[in-house]
Amino acid sequence: MHPMLNTAVRAARRAASVIQRASNNLDLITPEKKGHNDFVSEVDRAAETAIIETILEAYPKHAIEAEESGARGESEYTWIIDPLDGTTNFLHGFPQYAISIALEHKGVITQAVVYDPNRNDLFTATRGVGAFLNDRRIRVSKVRDLSDALIGTGFPYTKFNNLETYLAIFRDMAQQAAGVRRPGAAALDLAYVACGRFDGFFEFDLKTCDIAAGTLLVQEAGGLVTDLAGEEHYLQSGDVLCGTPRVFGQMLHLIKQHLR
């Protein structure tokens, strides 16, 4: 394992300990609202602190871009951190959330970790080396047709300017795919595409920290990733589409019919 990836794994496991201890006492947590349907808790902050401390102990000169505390430092290396993707799920005791850590080097994501502490699923990737689940090499599924595909998605929940477009896409996707699911943690949705649990995924208006690690997992597992227009600006726009090579093309064709 690449030493920087190993550091990310240690950071994710340290954050998971914070999160899982807190999951046993959800009634003691006092969440705050950052915005409409956008929650944060002391657990998010404590997990993020654990991640940042672990990374900076190993690489004190690296920069940080974190969900709760924002950006700090300047370096050709930047760690992109979501300490608890799926906070609303976590606060309700719904066991679908994850820790997401990515390393960007000179503008390119090179290392990725998505860790699901509930299932002990550790997804990792190094650019050019491949994607893994608990040390087992993973690939996207072999599904070729949208009619046979299980698709992941996420409903708009803080920004509703794309709601009508999304609903139109969802309607057509639900009619043409084998099934559509909305578990509520984008980092895991992307990891599920990488390991073949989903055959495709799409969503509007995600944050960079939600998708930086997961998109590298998909690419290293043989999948395709773009924004919803088929361009490469998904980390900037937060609009992401990914899937197996054949399913991706059919999803892109469907989605483009509804984009202005």
Side-chain angles (χ1 to χ4, degrees), residues 17 28-29 32 43 109-110 117 122 125 131 158 165 169 249 256 259:
S17 296
L28 300 180
I29 298 172
E32 303 170 21
V43 180
I109 305 298
T110 59
L122 177 67
T158 58
T165 301
I169 294 169
K256 276 188 169 182
L259 297 182

Side-chain angles (χ1 to χ4, degrees), residues 29-45 67-68 82-92 157-158 207:
I29 298 172
T30 305
E32 303 170 21
K33 269 194 172 183
K34 295 189 289 183
H36 182 69
N37 290 338
D38 192 6
F39 296 94
V40 64
S41 72
E42 61 267 34
V43 180
D44 299 70
R45 295 191 178 101
E67 166 78 357
E68 307 308 335
D82 191 339
L84 180 51
D85 184 40
T87 298
T88 301
N89 285 349
F90 169 78
L91 292 172
H92 286 79
Y157 63 98
T158 58
K207 299 173 184 174

Side-chain angles (χ1 to χ4, degrees), residues 96-133:
Q96 186 75 6
Y97 48 83
I99 297 126
S100 176
I101 303 172
L103 176 63
E104 182 182 70
H105 181 223
K106 295 182 178 179
V108 177
I109 305 298
T110 59
Q111 310 290 339
V113 170
V114 174
Y115 182 48
D116 176 354
N118 291 295
R119 299 172 183 82
N120 197 29
D121 279 350
L122 177 67
F123 298 90
T124 59
T126 296
R127 184 168 294 278
V129 175
F132 299 82
L133 168 55

Side-chain angles (χ1 to χ4, degrees), residues 2-257:
H2 190 284
M4 291 184 184
L5 184 62
N6 189 50
T7 296
V9 169
R10 286 193 289 108
R13 291 194 183 279
R14 187 173 167 189
S17 296
V18 173
I19 292 166
Q20 293 305 87
R21 283 197 303 270
S23 71
N24 296 320
N25 298 283
L26 290 175
D27 57 324
L28 300 180
I29 298 172
T30 305
E32 303 170 21
K33 269 194 172 183
K34 295 189 289 183
H36 182 69
N37 290 338
D38 192 6
F39 296 94
V40 64
S41 72
E42 61 267 34
V43 180
D44 299 70
R45 295 191 178 101
E48 183 172 287
T49 297
I51 293 169
I52 293 172
E53 287 178 351
T54 303
I55 289 171
L56 293 183
E57 283 170 5
Y59 302 104
K61 295 184 179 180
H62 285 191
I64 300 290
E65 183 180 326
E67 166 78 357
E68 307 308 335
S69 59
R72 68 172 78 175
E74 293 185 6
S75 171
E76 65 183 37
Y77 291 96
T78 300
W79 295 87
I80 303 171
I81 300 163
D82 191 339
L84 180 51
D85 184 40
T87 298
T88 301
N89 285 349
F90 169 78
L91 292 172
H92 286 79
F94 186 72
Q96 186 75 6
Y97 48 83
I99 297 126
S100 176
I101 303 172
L103 176 63
E104 182 182 70
H105 181 223
K106 295 182 178 179
V108 177
I109 305 298
T110 59
Q111 310 290 339
V113 170
V114 174
Y115 182 48
D116 176 354
N118 291 295
R119 299 172 183 82
N120 197 29
D121 279 350
L122 177 67
F123 298 90
T124 59
T126 296
R127 184 168 294 278
V129 175
F132 299 82
L133 168 55
N134 296 333
D135 300 322
R136 176 179 60 84
R137 183 73 181 264
I138 54 175
R139 301 288 295 177
V140 296
S141 79
K142 296 180 180 179
V143 171
R144 299 168 61 88
D145 295 316
L146 182 58
S147 60
D148 297 321
L150 183 63
I151 304 301
T153 188
F155 307 141
Y157 63 98
T158 58
K159 300 178 182 178
F160 297 99
N161 52 305
N162 290 314
L163 181 59
E164 294 304 318
T165 301
Y166 173 82
L167 291 173
I169 294 169
F170 179 88
R171 180 196 62 222
D172 287 358
M173 197 73 70
Q175 291 175 340
Q176 296 187 36
V180 182
R181 303 288 184 268
R182 199 279 190 184
L188 275 180
D189 295 335
L190 291 163
Y192 283 8
V193 173
C195 71
R197 295 175 185 172
F198 282 150
D199 306 302
F201 172 78
F202 72 99
E203 188 168 352
F204 285 95
D205 295 323
L206 288 162
K207 299 173 184 174
T208 303
C209 60
D210 296 328
I211 61 176
T215 50
L216 180 61
L217 287 171
V218 173
Q219 291 169 330
E220 288 298 315
L224 300 179
V225 183
T226 66
D227 62 18
L228 296 178
E231 305 295 336
E232 296 183 355
H233 310 301
Y234 51 90
L235 289 178
Q236 293 75 36
S237 69
D239 301 339
V240 64
L241 166 65
C242 67
T244 73
R246 289 291 293 272
V247 170
F248 169 88
Q250 294 162 63
M251 292 177 68
L252 179 61
H253 177 73
L254 184 157
I255 289 170
K256 276 188 169 182
Q257 296 178 54

